Amino acid sequence: MHAGVCEAALLLAWQGRAQAIGCMVGAPAWAQWAPELEEIDARQTEIGLHLDLTQYPLLLPPHKLGPLILQSWLRTLDSSSVRSEICAQLDAFEQHTGRPPAYVDGHQHVHQFPVVRDELLAELQQRYAGCLPWLRNTARYSNARTATPTPWRQTLKPRIIETLGSAALARQAQTRGFRQNAHLLGVHDFNGDEGHYLECTRTWLGACRSGDLLMCHPSLGAQAQDPLGSSRQQEYRVLSGNTFGEWVQEAGIRLEPLSQTLSQGLVAPGSSQCAT
């Protein structure tokens, strides 16, 4: 998106705190910063496509999220245009990285929406048969995992995101041979200070199980047109900080690329659909 985001992602990867970097191939900083990914060891950090239909698509005009959700659920989205956009973004990813994406997820989770998921799965199957990327599953973790009950306001956004396509994508993905993370952690409302985000990470680390994915949006600096600039910097400071590292170690958590977890059979088949 901009230099601050790119720098933060790379630094967290080199620090061993980020095991996946999602790429928005239509965003302003992509062409300049993509060569930096060559220095990333794919065995330690996976590089994936962050499919984008709402901010910097390559062919389609940017969709506002609300109308996009409505059109996708009414199935009035033009599937051929969506497929062309997916192809263009995969082409751009391959052109700049020289490899297929290790995984695919979506900016604002668009990859799980009706029509979009249909065209995405079909294209990925056609392109990468025999070596399919894993897909982000947005199923929320059970509140029963946490030591203290999570306030309902903090569970609302994860519930909404999950409802917008998690179960349907999981069913289609499993049928077609795609693998997924078990549950998604890291969803928050971008409000509050650094201390609040730090406490959120404590909750997520306490709730995580093998195969879960912690989503983050870090940045080393803010940019005027980025409404999440302050929150991004808070995330970077927490994720790169000593306290986060100590909590990971104390909990006995191993941070690793999801493909490694999946290849070891540490994510049970169908576990992506078990959130309650």
Side-chain angles (χ1 to χ4, degrees):
M1 297 182 70
H2 54 78
V5 170
C6 298
E7 288 181 284
L10 292 168
L11 287 172
L12 288 172
W14 292 328
Q15 191 182 359
R17 298 286 173 84
Q19 287 68 44
I21 295 178
C23 303
M24 296 174 67
V25 298
W30 166 247
Q32 177 185 352
W33 283 85
E36 299 291 332
L37 296 172
E38 295 177 9
E39 304 299 321
I40 296 295
D41 186 344
R43 295 169 299 180
Q44 298 179 356
T45 305
E46 296 181 301
I47 310 299
L49 176 68
H50 195 54
L51 181 67
D52 177 21
L53 302 179
T54 61
Q55 199 160 2
Y56 304 110
L58 296 175
L59 304 178
L60 294 172
H63 285 73
K64 291 185 182 297
L65 182 59
L68 176 63
I69 292 172
L70 182 61
Q71 291 176 49
S72 66
W73 277 80
L74 292 176
R75 295 191 173 271
T76 58
L77 274 179
D78 182 64
S79 59
S80 62
S81 297
V82 170
R83 182 69 166 266
S84 295
E85 180 64 39
I86 291 168
C87 290
Q89 293 191 30
L90 288 168
D91 288 344
F93 181 95
E94 293 174 12
Q95 178 184 352
H96 282 86
T97 65
R99 49 181 155 166
Y103 69 94
V104 177
D105 58 20
H107 186 50
Q108 299 181 307
H109 312 285
V110 299
H111 68 294
Q112 65 175 356
F113 295 173
V115 180
V116 180
R117 65 176 179 251
D118 300 334
E119 298 303 322
L120 176 63
L121 294 178
E123 181 60 30
L124 294 177
Q125 239 183 345
Q126 181 175 312
R127 281 188 184 232
Y128 308 123
C131 190
L132 298 174
W134 59 266
L135 305 172
R136 180 201 283 170
N137 177 22
T138 65
R140 58 190 173 84
Y141 62 89
S142 171
N143 196 33
R145 292 184 181 182
T146 58
T148 57
T150 305
W152 71 268
R153 288 183 179 84
Q154 294 182 27
T155 68
L156 183 59
K157 187 174 180 180
R159 287 176 184 274
I160 292 172
I161 291 172
E162 179 186 47
T163 301
L164 289 174
S166 172
L169 177 61
R171 287 193 298 269
Q172 290 179 245
Q174 191 170 17
T175 299
R176 293 171 177 253
F178 289 90
R179 300 178 300 174
Q180 293 186 282
N181 56 292
H183 301 93
L184 183 66
L185 309 131
V187 179
H188 66 109
D189 59 9
F190 302 105
N191 293 322
D193 58 13
E194 188 172 324
H196 173 70
Y197 183 73
L198 183 63
E199 285 305 310
C200 286
T201 64
R202 183 195 285 272
T203 299
W204 296 326
L205 291 175
C208 77
R209 300 292 185 272
S210 184
D212 285 350
L213 178 69
L214 174 60
M215 173 180 64
C216 58
H217 320 74
S219 180
L220 208 59
Q223 204 172 57
Q225 61 267 40
D226 185 355
L228 303 182
S230 176
S231 182
R232 292 184 192 279
Q233 292 177 85
Q234 292 172 11
E235 290 195 25
Y236 175 75
R237 289 192 293 268
V238 167
L239 295 171
S240 63
N242 291 334
T243 301
F244 180 80
E246 290 167 1
W247 286 349
V248 168
Q249 188 172 18
E250 289 171 4
I253 295 170
R254 184 174 68 251
L255 303 177
E256 67 180 14
L258 186 68
S259 290
Q260 293 183 20
T261 311
L262 292 166
S263 67
Q264 296 168 52
L266 298 179
V267 182
S271 64
S272 59
Q273 300 175 50
C274 293
T276 58

